[in-house]
Amino acid sequence: MSGTHGACRRYEPRYDLREPMPFRGKIPEPTVRRLSLYLRELQMREEGDQSTISSKQLGQALGFTDSQVRKDLAVFGQFGQPGVGYRTDELIERLRSILGKDRTWNACVVGAGNIGRALMPYGRFRREGFDIVAIFDHDPAVVGTTVGDHKVRPLQELRPLVRERGIRIGIIAVPGEAAQATADRLIQAGVIGILNFAPRRLEIPQTQVRGAERLSVVNVDFTVALEQLAFQISFGLKGAYDDPCR
């Protein structure tokens, strides 16, 4: 849904600030997406008391070949045993570590409009390791009101609260015209990741804001996603259309 077109982007590996992960090189974006799908499927299998799984079973459940599963996992080291497959609990633990979900990420929302208010009380974020610990807005009529369990703070408090609460991820839920300025504030405050719901694509690497060189950004554009779905329906295309690089 990020609206990426043309050649597939490749992520430079970026890990927990405390210690590096034990692999190098560039990781294709589709591989990262598939890792998330593998993890969800494995968690469902574990809930069903399935202790082992083969690459063929995992691939078939998600529409991938067994060789694709093995290729994706091989990027990160050795997994499983020939003839046995993978231990579900061990593979879950490894994937959670690779995806950065073996710790809690404190996040904040900027923008207390419809999207921001919908995000705040969503309990699954915390269960998955993402704890939204603050919400900010520039509107005096909104500041001081309560959203979820948090009081809406003025933007002037962004920098000190980011440091005080160890916020690493900023979620932008403001109108498009305010998105870039909001991103700049978040970077200057010290966040290292931005999830952008504003209808404007952020070009952070081109900014001169201090800290932008270590930032990761994911853009979520609902309009682009709906346009892709409308195209798919119009041409009678079946299946998923959000991963052209798969």
Side-chain angles (χ1 to χ4, degrees), residues 97-115:
S97 177
I98 291 168
L99 292 168
K101 296 184 67 178
D102 56 344
R103 69 210 69 147
T104 297
W105 295 93
N106 286 350
C108 69
V109 172
V110 180
N114 291 334
I115 293 177

Side-chain angles (χ1 to χ4, degrees), residues 117-134:
R117 290 177 178 273
L119 293 172
M120 288 300 295
Y122 187 51
R124 185 172 178 181
F125 287 147
R126 180 172 294 179
R127 294 194 298 272
E128 293 294 331
F130 303 96
D131 193 2
I132 300 179
V133 298

Side-chain angles (χ1 to χ4, degrees), residues 48-113:
D49 295 325
Q50 183 173 337
S51 59
T52 62
I53 189 170
S54 67
S55 57
K56 184 176 182 179
Q57 289 175 316
L58 187 54
Q60 285 181 337
L62 298 167
F64 306 125
T65 64
D66 53 341
S67 61
Q68 181 68 72
V69 173
R70 291 193 299 271
K71 180 180 177 182
D72 288 339
L73 295 179
V75 174
F76 305 93
Q78 297 295 323
F79 294 82
Q81 299 178 8
V84 177
Y86 311 103
R87 285 188 57 85
T88 306
D89 56 349
E90 291 179 357
L91 189 52
I92 287 173
E93 183 178 354
R94 291 284 299 277
L95 289 179
R96 283 182 59 83
S97 177
I98 291 168
L99 292 168
K101 296 184 67 178
D102 56 344
R103 69 210 69 147
T104 297
W105 295 93
N106 286 350
C108 69
V109 172
V110 180

